[in-house]
Amino acid sequence: MNKLKIKDLAKQIRGVSYKTSDLHEELDSQSVILLRANNISNGLINFDDVIYVDKQKVSEIQYLKKGDILICASSGSKKLVGKAASVDFDMECTFGAFCKVVRPKEEYMDYLGSYFQSSIYRNKISKASLGANINNIRNEHIDGLEIPLYSKENMSTITKRMQLLQKIIININQELKLLDELVKARFVELFGDPIINDKGLITELLANVSNLKAGKAIKTGELSENNDTNSLFPCFGGNGIRGYINRYTHDGTFPIIGRQGALSGNVNFAKGKFYATEHAIVVTPKVELDDTWFFYCLKYLDLKRFQTGAAQPGVSVEKLNNISIPLPNYKSQLYFSDFVKEVDKSRFIIKSMIKEGLL
């Protein structure tokens, strides 16, 4: 067995930098699909919420090729930075500046694609990627990764096993996704689509029923990757939990809206003691609202549609405060909350099976 560094097996390509004025409203002959970090999920590339950038901003080398590995290279969330997916399609497509591509030599495409889905890669890149205010993967982080090389037969066997494991994980995540869809279907059945309020429920401005306030800034060095005796409390940033810290800003159950980044407008649910950074907007009800119902209502309002800015998207408290939300009676909120608790039991079982290695 030999060990070689990634720099000997592949080259890296930076993403496309662009301004709002470089974007097109729709795909046309002068534009191309641009993928961002939100288009990488569970080791796959999705085409949800893509944007279209002018072709003049894209160099020839920045067009994706089959076998490329697309990586989230910069994010406020340590959980997101480093996530990767292999390109398994042939279509005209590029990627943004917060991503990068590893383009393997042809004979190592499948093997490297499997490596970038491994826990070994995730652990190494997680330790290497801490930046001052944002988690970054620099070229040297990727280039310096050492991977074992075996015979072609053995590498082929490893790749096939990894691909099989990936399929199993995809199927499990699909089951979890179906549970999510079940919850959403129940919400819509009871309360309608909160964006258009097709049930004709009483509405109120978000500012009148809750207080929205961003958290406090921290230094990256204060965060720990793991929940241990020195860092007991989860720290929420713009895209969910960034890590763990030794103090907390809130204690209770709160929806949290991401304020900045490609995923800004996403909604997370914090329970217990936690720390909220300046990129996390904590939503505190002013009136009687069931916490679970309120979280899902905010989630289904699709707050990402209120993003402004292209290179660094974000949502503002001012704009969120002026959103109208439906207000069903409290009893029906509790009824929905009880339904979610039953679904969560199934979700817990599936996640426990994954953790215990039963699937």
Side-chain angles (χ1 to χ4, degrees):
M1 178 191 73
N2 295 320
K3 281 190 175 182
L4 286 179
K5 294 184 177 181
I6 295 292
K7 67 178 182 179
D8 300 316
L9 307 173
K11 63 180 178 181
Q12 295 183 58
I13 302 165
R14 64 177 178 84
V16 175
S17 298
Y18 59 91
K19 300 177 182 178
T20 304
S21 57
D22 298 318
L23 299 178
H24 293 223
E25 291 187 4
E26 57 184 28
L27 187 62
D28 54 36
S29 61
Q30 302 302 313
S31 64
V32 62
I33 294 172
L34 183 139
L35 299 175
R36 297 171 291 173
N38 59 291
N39 299 114
I40 307 171
S41 59
N42 299 319
L44 299 172
I45 293 174
N46 67 72
F47 289 86
D48 300 332
D49 192 26
V50 298
I51 57 177
Y52 312 109
V53 69
D54 197 282
K55 288 183 176 179
Q56 292 186 356
K57 303 298 296 184
V58 186
S59 66
E60 185 64 32
I61 198 173
Q62 289 174 316
Y63 283 95
L64 290 173
K65 295 182 178 181
K66 195 169 183 177
D68 282 352
I69 301 163
L70 181 64
I71 301 173
C72 171
S74 185
S75 172
S77 171
K78 190 173 182 179
K79 181 180 178 182
L80 297 178
V81 71
K83 66 178 183 176
S86 292
V87 176
D88 61 357
F89 51 81
D90 287 310
M91 63 181 296
E92 194 174 58
C93 205
T94 190
F95 55 102
F98 283 1
C99 292
K100 66 169 58 190
V101 151
V102 171
R103 184 163 290 166
K105 296 178 180 178
E106 186 173 356
E107 62 267 35
Y108 299 114
M109 282 182 179
D110 291 339
Y111 185 63
L112 284 187
S114 297
Y115 172 77
F116 278 91
Q117 296 304 316
S118 70
S119 59
I120 296 174
Y121 158 72
R122 288 297 305 171
N123 290 337
K124 286 184 177 180
I125 211 64
S126 180
K127 292 177 182 177
S129 63
L130 284 177
N133 298 306
I134 191 169
N135 296 297
N136 296 278
I137 297 178
R138 298 192 294 271
N139 281 356
E140 55 264 34
H141 293 151
I142 298 292
D143 281 344
L145 291 173
E146 282 190 337
I147 66 170
L149 291 184
Y150 305 92
S151 66
K152 287 185 178 180
E153 182 180 351
N154 286 341
M155 286 196 294
S156 177
T157 299
I158 292 171
T159 299
K160 288 178 181 178
R161 288 178 179 176
M162 286 293 293
Q163 289 173 344
L164 177 59
L165 179 60
Q166 183 71 4
K167 287 180 180 179
I168 293 173
I169 293 173
I170 290 170
N171 289 336
I172 292 171
N173 285 321
Q174 183 61 32
E175 288 190 43
L176 294 172
K177 185 177 180 181
L178 289 173
L179 291 178
D180 291 338
E181 291 175 358
L182 178 63
V183 171
K184 184 173 183 179
R186 189 60 169 153
F187 184 98
V188 172
E189 179 185 359
L190 292 171
F191 313 112
D193 183 344
I195 296 176
I196 61 176
N197 190 27
D198 50 340
K199 292 281 188 179
L201 299 173
I202 296 173
T203 62
E204 189 56 84
L205 293 180
L206 191 56
N208 293 337
V209 299
S210 63
N211 178 57
L212 277 65
K213 187 175 181 180
K216 300 178 181 179
I218 62 167
K219 297 179 180 178
T220 303
E222 296 183 82
L223 288 180
S224 172
E225 183 179 356
N226 300 310
N227 182 358
D228 54 38
T229 54
N230 295 319
S231 302
L232 294 172
F233 309 109
C235 177
F236 283 84
N239 299 322
I241 296 176
R242 287 182 57 186
Y244 296 87
I245 197 167
N246 61 2
R247 61 190 187 279
Y248 62 92
T249 55
H250 297 78
D251 185 4
T253 306
F254 300 88
I256 296 180
I257 302 171
R259 188 176 71 85
Q260 194 170 8
L263 299 179
S264 57
N266 73 92
V267 185
N268 286 283
F269 205 17
K271 297 181 180 180
K273 296 176 181 178
F274 65 93
Y275 193 102
T277 72
E278 77 277 20
H279 295 315
I281 301 171
V282 181
V283 186
T284 306
K286 295 178 181 178
V287 300
E288 188 177 44
L289 295 171
D290 177 77
D291 296 328
T292 299
W293 175 86
F294 194 28
F295 161 71
Y296 280 101
C297 184
L298 292 173
K299 182 177 180 179
Y300 299 147
L301 278 167
D302 186 22
L303 301 179
K304 287 198 295 182
R305 59 198 170 103
F306 298 104
Q307 284 183 353
T308 56
Q312 180 64 9
V315 294
S316 69
V317 169
E318 181 181 2
K319 184 166 287 189
L320 293 174
N321 273 331
N322 289 299
I323 297 171
S324 292
I325 68 167
L327 288 180
N329 64 70
Y330 188 64
K331 184 177 180 180
S332 62
Q333 294 178 31
L334 291 176
Y335 179 79
F336 172 76
S337 181
D338 288 340
F339 174 79
V340 173
K341 289 176 183 176
E342 293 302 313
V343 174
D344 282 345
K345 291 178 183 178
S346 297
R347 189 180 282 115
F348 176 78
I349 291 172
I350 293 173
K351 289 182 177 180
S352 296
M353 293 173 73
I354 299 172
K355 187 175 182 179
E356 294 172 11
L358 299 179
L359 284 178

